Amino acid sequence: MKLLCLLPLVCSVALLAQYADTVVVNGKILTADPQFSEQQALAVRDGKITAVGSTAEIRKLAGAKTRVIDLGGRTVIPGLIDSHMHAIRAASFFATESNWAGVPTLAEALNRIRESAKAKKPDEWVIVGGGWKPEQFNENRLPTQAELTEAAGDHPAYVQMLYAWALLNQRGLDALNIKSDADLAGGGKLDRDASGKLTGGITGGIVPLFDRLPRPRLEQQVDGTKKFFRELNRLGMTGVSDPCGNNVTPETYDAINKVWRDRQLTVRVAYTICGFDPPHEVEEYQKYLGLMPMGFGDDMMHFNGIGEQIVWAINNVEKPDPADLERFYQIAKWAAGRGYGLTFHCGTDAAVDAILTVFERVDREVSIKNLRWSIAHLNDASPASLRRMKALGMGWTMQDAMYFSGDETERRAGAEVARRMPPVETAREIGVPVGAGTDAHRVAPYSPFTALQWALDGKTVSGKVVRGPEETPSRVNALRAYTQGSAWFSHDDDKRGSLEPGKFADLAVLTKDYMTIPVEQILN
């Protein structure tokens, strides 16, 4: 009898335990599930989605303490995931650099230099680290040294455009003791005007040049990391895969490790490790990663393998030195034997043949077909290369590089070549997993909506349509690449990338409906 008396109490406690922490209702929820179904509402408990459905159904899951958010008809998408962003590096500089990404005029860009200079202490550098091109400005030109000098005042100043060019004021040149080409590494050259006078510009050798600038202090890097990831959140982003890369050292990870340990990360980060001391990459990986299992970390940050500059000497090299390729093979086989992920930087289809040949050799000895290895960039991927990647179980992380480089590519390679770059629809038809991204922030803006608009309209930063309709994805497929597609590369597509019960409640509420607004409005 006592047991029967207790049953109603037990049932009511169990019922209360099922109430959602949060419900969102009266919306247009694009679930990005296999059917790309559209729902009105969803419920969240303990950070995970418990149900999706109609507003009436989901309201039943709200208790007295449930937070109820009325979307007022707004569109909800899964949180966007960049499959190839140098986010750790960008974050460490975010609090100390001036940002020109998306700035519409050179006048405004220079004003950002002025504002940055005002906030600096005497002799501190004013730095713009990339993410812009002159074609984005109404003035359609580069800044001059005189303009930079006026804007920066008494501060040494450095402005970088992609990895192609940099501008320094005289204080900056003096601080780095640069007087002639002999003072530059990596083939850098001082620019001169028609009369032979130095202009303050430097062409080439940008990676070693940047390494000569002072690094932010750890507390500045921590501050920048928090601010940058909040900035990504503002743009609907909940995840990034970071491929390591240029100007990164083991110390670069100190800031994000602290933010992660302090449980203050607001973006899920999957990171890879590259070699830091070429040509000793084999020994480095074994030293740094010998005790690091694949997936080490948690749901906010985890180790995702090695990349993208695995062996620096073979990046974008069509005919690599056999000794360098052998070193690459040793690393790839070592990684495969330990179940590591791997992503490789490859800019052209001509260069990818040697890389895929190594992967095929490794696969004959240690299968890589379930390791989700990937090629990054590869804007001119041929169907033959994509089929080889498919056979190896590989994916392709595709970025919006043509947004900045499309005009130049068309001039160099011709309109017919440029119109199929990148071949995202060919990859989809072949069955190669595709993750979307930006490669930000040195060579591209970090906004995913810039990349999504470019994916749909094929327009470069100058407004010219370069890509043809045969390689233009639908809005559904573009969004899939930025959500479920990108999650595939971080090995957690079973946990995120779509709004389904059991997955993380990583979502973004948009100001306008991505599926119906004019394409030219997506960027904003």
Side-chain angles (χ1 to χ4, degrees):
M1 190 68 179
K2 289 182 180 179
L3 177 61
L4 290 176
C5 291
L6 285 173
L7 278 176
L9 177 60
V10 171
C11 289
S12 92
V13 169
L15 183 62
L16 286 171
Q18 297 306 307
Y19 284 141
D21 301 325
T22 302
V23 298
V24 293
V25 297
N26 294 326
K28 178 180 178 179
I29 297 177
L30 306 178
T31 64
D33 64 8
Q35 295 76 39
F36 207 84
S37 59
E38 182 181 316
Q39 302 289 347
Q40 295 178 325
L42 60 79
V44 179
R45 187 171 63 248
D46 296 330
K48 293 185 177 180
I49 298 169
T50 57
V52 294
S54 69
T55 291
E57 291 168 335
I58 298 303
R59 280 195 182 277
K60 295 176 183 178
L61 300 176
K65 295 183 179 180
T66 300
R67 181 187 184 196
V68 179
I69 301 173
D70 192 322
L71 297 171
R74 293 179 181 85
T75 297
V76 177
I77 60 174
L80 298 172
I81 305 167
D82 193 308
S83 66
H84 190 96
M85 178 190 282
H86 298 273
I88 295 172
R89 180 183 65 201
S92 67
F93 290 97
F94 192 69
T96 55
E97 287 187 359
S98 181
N99 177 27
W100 284 7
V103 176
T105 69
L106 180 57
E108 181 181 335
L110 290 168
N111 192 55
R112 292 195 177 191
I113 292 284
R114 293 186 190 93
E115 294 303 313
S116 179
K118 289 178 184 177
K120 300 284 187 181
K121 296 177 181 178
D123 297 324
E124 280 189 329
W125 281 77
V126 176
I127 296 172
V128 177
W132 64 278
K133 278 198 80 175
E135 289 86 352
Q136 78 190 47
F137 300 139
N138 290 343
E139 298 89 341
N140 194 26
R141 66 173 177 85
L142 296 165
T144 66
Q145 187 183 53
E147 290 171 326
L148 180 59
T149 298
E150 184 278 326
D154 291 334
H155 296 272
Y158 172 96
V159 175
Q160 179 174 320
M161 185 196 71
L162 313 184
Y163 285 114
W165 181 82
L167 178 69
L168 288 84
N169 62 2
Q170 191 58 50
R171 285 215 60 191
L173 291 169
D174 292 342
L176 299 182
N177 196 29
I178 296 173
K179 297 182 176 64
S180 70
D181 292 350
D183 300 318
L184 299 172
K189 299 287 185 181
L190 289 166
D191 295 346
R192 298 177 183 272
D193 62 19
S195 67
K197 182 180 177 182
L198 294 176
T199 66
I202 296 175
T203 300
I206 301 302
V207 173
L209 178 63
F210 188 90
D211 276 335
R212 295 169 66 175
L213 300 176
R215 296 270 172 153
R217 301 185 302 275
L218 179 59
E219 59 268 25
Q220 293 174 315
Q221 294 181 47
V222 169
D223 181 43
T225 298
K226 296 176 185 177
K227 289 178 177 176
F228 184 63
F229 287 153
R230 280 298 186 189
E231 170 71 355
L232 297 185
N233 294 152
R234 184 184 70 82
L235 294 167
M237 290 190 61
T238 58
V240 296
S241 287
D242 187 291
C244 196
N246 295 323
N247 303 121
V248 173
T249 68
E251 291 75 24
T252 303
Y253 294 84
D254 290 346
I256 193 168
N257 282 334
K258 176 170 174 48
V259 176
W260 172 60
R261 288 196 308 270
D262 292 344
R263 299 186 180 277
Q264 294 179 330
L265 273 182
T266 62
V267 171
R268 302 187 195 278
V269 178
Y271 67 95
T272 60
I273 298 294
C274 62
F276 299 112
D277 184 27
H280 306 293
E281 293 97 343
V282 173
E283 297 84 357
E284 277 193 293
Y285 289 127
Q286 294 175 356
K287 175 182 177 181
Y288 285 120
L289 303 181
L291 300 177
M292 178 93 76
M294 179 65 181
F296 176 81
D298 59 20
D299 289 327
M300 287 308 300
M301 188 167 78
H302 71 265
F303 170 60
N304 206 42
I306 63 174
E308 66 179 317
Q309 282 93 348
I310 297 171
V311 172
W312 291 80
I314 63 175
N315 280 358
N316 297 328
V317 177
E318 292 184 15
K319 295 182 179 179
D321 182 275
D324 294 329
L325 272 182
E326 182 63 23
R327 194 161 71 255
F328 178 59
Y329 159 74
Q330 292 176 26
I331 294 168
K333 183 178 178 181
W334 180 83
R338 284 156 179 77
Y340 285 163
L342 181 152
T343 186
F344 188 83
H345 170 115
C346 196
T348 66
D349 194 66
V352 82
D353 174 69
I355 305 308
L356 293 179
T357 298
V358 168
F359 290 162
E360 288 161 346
R361 176 186 173 191
V362 170
D363 185 61
R364 289 192 292 269
E365 302 171 42
V366 183
S367 177
I368 68 170
K369 290 183 175 65
N370 294 318
L371 299 182
R372 302 190 180 188
W373 287 11
S374 63
I375 298 290
H377 315 314
L378 199 60
N379 284 313
D380 66 341
S382 66
S385 294
L386 291 169
R387 284 191 288 269
R388 291 172 72 185
M389 291 166 62
K390 169 65 175 175
L392 291 168
M394 296 181 65
W396 174 34
T397 58
M398 178 273 303
Q399 300 81 44
D400 61 340
M402 291 288 284
Y403 176 68
F404 270 177
S405 67
D407 298 87
E408 179 185 344
T409 300
E410 187 179 71
R411 287 191 296 270
R412 184 185 70 251
E416 284 305 307
V417 172
R419 69 181 282 112
R420 66 172 297 274
M421 295 173 63
V424 290
E425 285 301 286
T426 298
R428 184 180 65 82
E429 291 166 5
I430 290 173
V432 175
V434 176
T438 59
D439 201 18
H441 81 304
R442 295 275 185 257
V443 300
Y446 51 76
S447 171
F449 292 100
T450 299
L452 282 167
Q453 181 170 313
W454 161 83
L456 299 175
D457 67 15
K459 290 183 180 179
T460 67
V461 67
S462 70
K464 181 179 178 58
V465 178
V466 173
R467 185 173 2 94
E470 61 271 24
E471 294 295 356
T472 297
S474 66
R475 295 194 193 209
V476 167
N477 287 337
L479 185 60
R480 282 196 190 281
Y482 238 115
T483 53
Q484 194 74 8
S486 290
W488 185 88
F489 294 86
S490 52
H491 300 259
D492 53 7
D493 49 314
D494 60 332
K495 296 181 179 179
R496 58 177 177 149
S498 60
L499 302 178
E500 301 178 82
K503 290 193 171 184
F504 293 129
D506 293 359
L507 55 85
V509 182
L510 307 182
T511 54
K512 294 184 179 180
D513 184 1
Y514 163 79
M515 294 298 293
T516 61
I517 63 169
V519 171
E520 61 268 19
Q521 294 183 23
I522 288 176
L523 184 146
N524 295 315

Short mmCIF file of all heavy atoms in Angstrom, two decimals, residues 331-376:
data_model
loop_
_atom_site.label_atom_id
_atom_site.label_comp_id
_atom_site.label_asym_id
_atom_site.label_seq_id
_atom_site.Cartn_x
_atom_site.Cartn_y
_atom_site.Cartn_z
N ILE A 331 55.49 10.78 -42.13
CA ILE A 331 54.57 11.45 -41.20
C ILE A 331 53.15 10.94 -41.40
O ILE A 331 52.43 10.65 -40.44
CB ILE A 331 54.64 12.98 -41.39
CG1 ILE A 331 56.02 13.50 -40.99
CG2 ILE A 331 53.55 13.68 -40.58
CD1 ILE A 331 56.27 14.94 -41.41
N ALA A 332 52.73 10.84 -42.67
CA ALA A 332 51.37 10.41 -42.96
C ALA A 332 51.13 8.98 -42.46
O ALA A 332 50.07 8.68 -41.87
CB ALA A 332 51.08 10.51 -44.45
N LYS A 333 52.10 8.10 -42.67
CA LYS A 333 51.93 6.72 -42.20
C LYS A 333 51.90 6.68 -40.67
O LYS A 333 51.10 5.94 -40.07
CB LYS A 333 53.06 5.84 -42.74
CG LYS A 333 52.91 4.37 -42.36
CD LYS A 333 54.02 3.52 -42.95
CE LYS A 333 53.85 2.07 -42.51
NZ LYS A 333 54.94 1.21 -43.05
N TRP A 334 52.76 7.47 -40.03
CA TRP A 334 52.77 7.54 -38.57
C TRP A 334 51.42 8.04 -38.05
O TRP A 334 50.87 7.50 -37.08
CB TRP A 334 53.90 8.49 -38.13
CG TRP A 334 54.04 8.68 -36.65
CD1 TRP A 334 54.70 7.86 -35.78
CD2 TRP A 334 53.54 9.77 -35.88
NE1 TRP A 334 54.63 8.38 -34.50
CE2 TRP A 334 53.93 9.55 -34.54
CE3 TRP A 334 52.81 10.91 -36.19
CZ2 TRP A 334 53.61 10.44 -33.51
CZ3 TRP A 334 52.48 11.80 -35.17
CH2 TRP A 334 52.88 11.55 -33.85
N ALA A 335 50.87 9.04 -38.71
CA ALA A 335 49.58 9.59 -38.29
C ALA A 335 48.46 8.56 -38.50
O ALA A 335 47.59 8.39 -37.63
CB ALA A 335 49.28 10.87 -39.07
N ALA A 336 48.50 7.86 -39.63
CA ALA A 336 47.46 6.86 -39.91
C ALA A 336 47.49 5.74 -38.88
O ALA A 336 46.45 5.27 -38.41
CB ALA A 336 47.65 6.29 -41.31
N GLY A 337 48.69 5.33 -38.49
CA GLY A 337 48.82 4.26 -37.51
C GLY A 337 48.28 4.63 -36.14
O GLY A 337 47.95 3.74 -35.34
N ARG A 338 48.19 5.91 -35.88
CA ARG A 338 47.66 6.38 -34.59
C ARG A 338 46.24 6.91 -34.68
O ARG A 338 45.70 7.45 -33.73
CB ARG A 338 48.59 7.47 -34.02
CG ARG A 338 49.87 6.86 -33.45
CD ARG A 338 51.02 7.83 -33.43
NE ARG A 338 52.20 7.17 -32.86
CZ ARG A 338 52.96 6.29 -33.51
NH1 ARG A 338 52.66 5.97 -34.77
NH2 ARG A 338 54.00 5.73 -32.94
N GLY A 339 45.65 6.77 -35.85
CA GLY A 339 44.26 7.20 -36.02
C GLY A 339 44.08 8.70 -36.02
O GLY A 339 42.99 9.19 -35.72
N TYR A 340 45.13 9.44 -36.36
CA TYR A 340 45.04 10.90 -36.35
C TYR A 340 44.30 11.43 -37.58
O TYR A 340 44.40 10.87 -38.68
CB TYR A 340 46.44 11.52 -36.36
CG TYR A 340 47.18 11.46 -35.05
CD1 TYR A 340 48.56 11.66 -35.02
CD2 TYR A 340 46.53 11.23 -33.84
CE1 TYR A 340 49.27 11.60 -33.83
CE2 TYR A 340 47.23 11.18 -32.65
CZ TYR A 340 48.60 11.37 -32.65
OH TYR A 340 49.29 11.32 -31.46
N GLY A 341 43.61 12.55 -37.39
CA GLY A 341 43.12 13.30 -38.53
C GLY A 341 44.29 13.98 -39.21
O GLY A 341 45.38 14.12 -38.65
N LEU A 342 44.07 14.43 -40.44
CA LEU A 342 45.13 15.10 -41.20
C LEU A 342 44.46 16.01 -42.23
O LEU A 342 43.54 15.59 -42.93
CB LEU A 342 46.03 14.07 -41.88
CG LEU A 342 47.22 14.56 -42.71
CD1 LEU A 342 48.33 13.50 -42.70
CD2 LEU A 342 46.82 14.87 -44.15
N THR A 343 44.93 17.24 -42.31
CA THR A 343 44.50 18.14 -43.37
C THR A 343 45.74 18.74 -44.02
O THR A 343 46.72 19.05 -43.34
CB THR A 343 43.57 19.25 -42.83
OG1 THR A 343 43.07 20.02 -43.92
CG2 THR A 343 44.27 20.16 -41.85
N PHE A 344 45.70 18.87 -45.36
CA PHE A 344 46.88 19.33 -46.08
C PHE A 344 46.55 20.52 -46.96
O PHE A 344 45.58 20.51 -47.71
CB PHE A 344 47.46 18.21 -46.95
CG PHE A 344 48.77 18.57 -47.58
CD1 PHE A 344 49.95 18.42 -46.87
CD2 PHE A 344 48.84 19.08 -48.87
CE1 PHE A 344 51.17 18.77 -47.42
CE2 PHE A 344 50.06 19.43 -49.44
CZ PHE A 344 51.23 19.28 -48.71
N HIS A 345 47.39 21.55 -46.87
CA HIS A 345 47.27 22.77 -47.66
C HIS A 345 47.75 22.52 -49.09
O HIS A 345 48.91 22.19 -49.31
CB HIS A 345 48.12 23.86 -46.99
CG HIS A 345 48.30 25.11 -47.78
ND1 HIS A 345 47.80 26.32 -47.35
CD2 HIS A 345 48.92 25.37 -48.96
CE1 HIS A 345 48.12 27.26 -48.22
NE2 HIS A 345 48.80 26.71 -49.21
N CYS A 346 46.84 22.67 -50.06
CA CYS A 346 47.23 22.47 -51.45
C CYS A 346 46.45 23.44 -52.33
O CYS A 346 45.22 23.38 -52.39
CB CYS A 346 46.95 21.03 -51.88
SG CYS A 346 47.81 20.59 -53.40
N GLY A 347 47.17 24.31 -53.01
CA GLY A 347 46.52 25.38 -53.75
C GLY A 347 46.07 25.02 -55.15
O GLY A 347 45.13 25.63 -55.67
N THR A 348 46.72 24.05 -55.79
CA THR A 348 46.41 23.78 -57.19
C THR A 348 46.26 22.29 -57.45
O THR A 348 46.85 21.45 -56.75
CB THR A 348 47.51 24.31 -58.12
OG1 THR A 348 48.73 23.58 -57.89
CG2 THR A 348 47.77 25.80 -57.87
N ASP A 349 45.50 21.98 -58.50
CA ASP A 349 45.31 20.58 -58.87
C ASP A 349 46.61 19.96 -59.35
O ASP A 349 46.85 18.77 -59.16
CB ASP A 349 44.23 20.48 -59.96
CG ASP A 349 43.74 19.07 -60.16
OD1 ASP A 349 43.10 18.54 -59.23
OD2 ASP A 349 44.00 18.50 -61.23
N ALA A 350 47.47 20.76 -59.98
CA ALA A 350 48.75 20.25 -60.44
C ALA A 350 49.62 19.76 -59.29
O ALA A 350 50.39 18.81 -59.42
CB ALA A 350 49.50 21.31 -61.25
N ALA A 351 49.48 20.43 -58.13
CA ALA A 351 50.30 20.07 -56.97
C ALA A 351 49.72 18.91 -56.16
O ALA A 351 50.44 18.26 -55.41
CB ALA A 351 50.49 21.28 -56.07
N VAL A 352 48.42 18.65 -56.32
CA VAL A 352 47.79 17.66 -55.44
C VAL A 352 48.10 16.23 -55.86
O VAL A 352 47.97 15.30 -55.06
CB VAL A 352 46.26 17.88 -55.38
CG1 VAL A 352 45.56 17.26 -56.58
CG2 VAL A 352 45.69 17.33 -54.08
N ASP A 353 48.53 16.01 -57.10
CA ASP A 353 48.80 14.65 -57.56
C ASP A 353 49.83 13.96 -56.68
O ASP A 353 49.64 12.81 -56.26
CB ASP A 353 49.28 14.67 -59.02
CG ASP A 353 49.72 13.29 -59.49
OD1 ASP A 353 48.85 12.41 -59.63
OD2 ASP A 353 50.93 13.09 -59.69
N ALA A 354 50.94 14.63 -56.39
CA ALA A 354 51.99 14.02 -55.58
C ALA A 354 51.48 13.71 -54.17
O ALA A 354 51.85 12.68 -53.58
CB ALA A 354 53.20 14.95 -55.50
N ILE A 355 50.63 14.58 -53.65
CA ILE A 355 50.10 14.38 -52.29
C ILE A 355 49.17 13.16 -52.26
O ILE A 355 49.28 12.30 -51.38
CB ILE A 355 49.35 15.64 -51.83
CG1 ILE A 355 50.25 16.88 -51.93
CG2 ILE A 355 48.81 15.46 -50.42
CD1 ILE A 355 51.58 16.75 -51.24
N LEU A 356 48.27 13.09 -53.22
CA LEU A 356 47.34 11.95 -53.25
C LEU A 356 48.07 10.64 -53.51
O LEU A 356 47.67 9.59 -53.00
CB LEU A 356 46.27 12.19 -54.31
CG LEU A 356 45.31 13.35 -54.02
CD1 LEU A 356 44.30 13.52 -55.15
CD2 LEU A 356 44.59 13.15 -52.69
N THR A 357 49.15 10.71 -54.27
CA THR A 357 49.95 9.50 -54.51
C THR A 357 50.54 8.98 -53.20
O THR A 357 50.56 7.76 -52.95
CB THR A 357 51.07 9.79 -55.53
OG1 THR A 357 50.48 10.17 -56.78
CG2 THR A 357 51.95 8.56 -55.74
N VAL A 358 51.01 9.89 -52.34
CA VAL A 358 51.51 9.49 -51.03
C VAL A 358 50.39 8.88 -50.19
O VAL A 358 50.56 7.83 -49.54
CB VAL A 358 52.15 10.68 -50.30
CG1 VAL A 358 52.42 10.35 -48.83
CG2 VAL A 358 53.44 11.10 -50.98
N PHE A 359 49.22 9.52 -50.19
CA PHE A 359 48.10 9.00 -49.41
C PHE A 359 47.68 7.62 -49.90
O PHE A 359 47.34 6.74 -49.08
CB PHE A 359 46.92 9.97 -49.48
CG PHE A 359 47.13 11.26 -48.74
CD1 PHE A 359 46.34 12.37 -49.01
CD2 PHE A 359 48.11 11.38 -47.77
CE1 PHE A 359 46.52 13.56 -48.32
CE2 PHE A 359 48.31 12.56 -47.08
CZ PHE A 359 47.51 13.66 -47.37
N GLU A 360 47.69 7.41 -51.19
CA GLU A 360 47.34 6.09 -51.73
C GLU A 360 48.37 5.04 -51.31
O GLU A 360 48.01 3.90 -51.00
CB GLU A 360 47.22 6.18 -53.25
CG GLU A 360 45.98 6.95 -53.70
CD GLU A 360 46.06 7.46 -55.13
OE1 GLU A 360 47.17 7.46 -55.71
OE2 GLU A 360 45.01 7.87 -55.67
N ARG A 361 49.62 5.44 -51.27
CA ARG A 361 50.67 4.52 -50.80
C ARG A 361 50.46 4.17 -49.33
O ARG A 361 50.55 2.99 -48.95
CB ARG A 361 52.04 5.18 -51.00
CG ARG A 361 53.21 4.37 -50.47
CD ARG A 361 54.51 5.15 -50.59
NE ARG A 361 55.63 4.47 -49.96
CZ ARG A 361 56.81 5.03 -49.74
NH1 ARG A 361 57.03 6.30 -50.11
NH2 ARG A 361 57.79 4.35 -49.14
N VAL A 362 50.15 5.17 -48.52
CA VAL A 362 49.89 4.93 -47.10
C VAL A 362 48.69 4.01 -46.94
O VAL A 362 48.71 3.06 -46.15
CB VAL A 362 49.67 6.25 -46.35
CG1 VAL A 362 49.17 5.99 -44.92
CG2 VAL A 362 50.95 7.07 -46.31
N ASP A 363 47.63 4.28 -47.70
CA ASP A 363 46.39 3.52 -47.55
C ASP A 363 46.58 2.05 -47.87
O ASP A 363 45.88 1.19 -47.31
CB ASP A 363 45.32 4.12 -48.46
CG ASP A 363 43.97 3.46 -48.28
OD1 ASP A 363 43.43 3.53 -47.16
OD2 ASP A 363 43.47 2.85 -49.24
N ARG A 364 47.50 1.73 -48.74
CA ARG A 364 47.78 0.31 -49.04
C ARG A 364 48.42 -0.41 -47.86
O ARG A 364 48.35 -1.64 -47.76
CB ARG A 364 48.68 0.20 -50.27
CG ARG A 364 48.00 0.57 -51.58
CD ARG A 364 48.83 0.18 -52.80
NE ARG A 364 50.05 0.96 -52.91
CZ ARG A 364 50.15 2.11 -53.59
NH1 ARG A 364 49.08 2.61 -54.21
NH2 ARG A 364 51.29 2.76 -53.67
N GLU A 365 49.03 0.37 -46.95
CA GLU A 365 49.71 -0.22 -45.79
C GLU A 365 48.91 -0.07 -44.51
O GLU A 365 48.84 -0.98 -43.69
CB GLU A 365 51.08 0.42 -45.64
CG GLU A 365 51.97 0.26 -46.88
CD GLU A 365 53.24 1.09 -46.79
OE1 GLU A 365 53.84 1.13 -45.70
OE2 GLU A 365 53.62 1.71 -47.79
N VAL A 366 48.32 1.11 -44.33
CA VAL A 366 47.48 1.39 -43.16
C VAL A 366 46.26 2.16 -43.67
O VAL A 366 46.40 3.29 -44.15
CB VAL A 366 48.22 2.24 -42.11
CG1 VAL A 366 47.32 2.45 -40.88
CG2 VAL A 366 49.54 1.62 -41.71
N SER A 367 45.10 1.57 -43.58
CA SER A 367 43.92 2.21 -44.17
C SER A 367 43.64 3.59 -43.57
O SER A 367 43.68 3.78 -42.35
CB SER A 367 42.69 1.33 -43.97
OG SER A 367 41.54 1.98 -44.49
N ILE A 368 43.37 4.55 -44.47
CA ILE A 368 43.01 5.89 -44.00
C ILE A 368 41.53 6.19 -44.30
O ILE A 368 41.06 7.30 -44.05
CB ILE A 368 43.89 6.97 -44.66
CG1 ILE A 368 43.60 7.07 -46.16
CG2 ILE A 368 45.36 6.69 -44.40
CD1 ILE A 368 44.27 8.28 -46.83
N LYS A 369 40.81 5.22 -44.81
CA LYS A 369 39.47 5.48 -45.34
C LYS A 369 38.46 5.95 -44.29
O LYS A 369 37.45 6.56 -44.64
CB LYS A 369 38.95 4.24 -46.05
CG LYS A 369 39.68 3.94 -47.35
CD LYS A 369 39.09 2.75 -48.08
CE LYS A 369 39.77 2.54 -49.43
NZ LYS A 369 41.19 2.19 -49.31
N ASN A 370 38.71 5.68 -43.01
CA ASN A 370 37.77 6.12 -41.97
C ASN A 370 38.35 7.25 -41.10
O ASN A 370 37.78 7.57 -40.05
CB ASN A 370 37.40 4.93 -41.08
CG ASN A 370 36.61 3.88 -41.83
OD1 ASN A 370 35.73 4.21 -42.62
ND2 ASN A 370 36.93 2.62 -41.60
N LEU A 371 39.45 7.83 -41.55
CA LEU A 371 40.12 8.86 -40.74
C LEU A 371 39.70 10.28 -41.09
O LEU A 371 40.10 11.22 -40.40
CB LEU A 371 41.65 8.72 -40.87
CG LEU A 371 42.23 7.38 -40.41
CD1 LEU A 371 43.75 7.40 -40.55
CD2 LEU A 371 41.83 7.07 -38.97
N ARG A 372 38.94 10.45 -42.16
CA ARG A 372 38.42 11.75 -42.56
C ARG A 372 39.55 12.75 -42.85
O ARG A 372 39.49 13.91 -42.43
CB ARG A 372 37.44 12.31 -41.52
CG ARG A 372 36.27 11.40 -41.26
CD ARG A 372 35.19 12.05 -40.43
NE ARG A 372 34.08 11.13 -40.19
CZ ARG A 372 32.92 11.47 -39.63
NH1 ARG A 372 32.73 12.72 -39.25
NH2 ARG A 372 31.96 10.58 -39.46
N TRP A 373 40.57 12.31 -43.55
CA TRP A 373 41.62 13.22 -43.97
C TRP A 373 41.07 14.19 -45.02
O TRP A 373 40.05 13.91 -45.67
CB TRP A 373 42.80 12.44 -44.53
CG TRP A 373 43.60 11.74 -43.45
CD1 TRP A 373 43.25 11.58 -42.14
CD2 TRP A 373 44.87 11.10 -43.62
NE1 TRP A 373 44.23 10.90 -41.47
CE2 TRP A 373 45.23 10.58 -42.34
CE3 TRP A 373 45.72 10.91 -44.69
CZ2 TRP A 373 46.42 9.89 -42.14
CZ3 TRP A 373 46.91 10.23 -44.50
CH2 TRP A 373 47.26 9.72 -43.23
N SER A 374 41.74 15.31 -45.19
CA SER A 374 41.19 16.32 -46.09
C SER A 374 42.28 17.11 -46.80
O SER A 374 43.42 17.19 -46.34
CB SER A 374 40.29 17.29 -45.32
OG SER A 374 41.03 18.01 -44.35
N ILE A 375 41.87 17.70 -47.92
CA ILE A 375 42.68 18.67 -48.65
C ILE A 375 42.02 20.03 -48.46
O ILE A 375 40.79 20.15 -48.60
CB ILE A 375 42.77 18.34 -50.15
CG1 ILE A 375 43.45 16.99 -50.37
CG2 ILE A 375 43.50 19.46 -50.90
CD1 ILE A 375 44.93 16.97 -50.05
N ALA A 376 42.83 21.04 -48.15
CA ALA A 376 42.31 22.40 -48.01
C ALA A 376 42.63 23.21 -49.26
O ALA A 376 43.66 22.99 -49.91
CB ALA A 376 42.92 23.07 -46.78
#
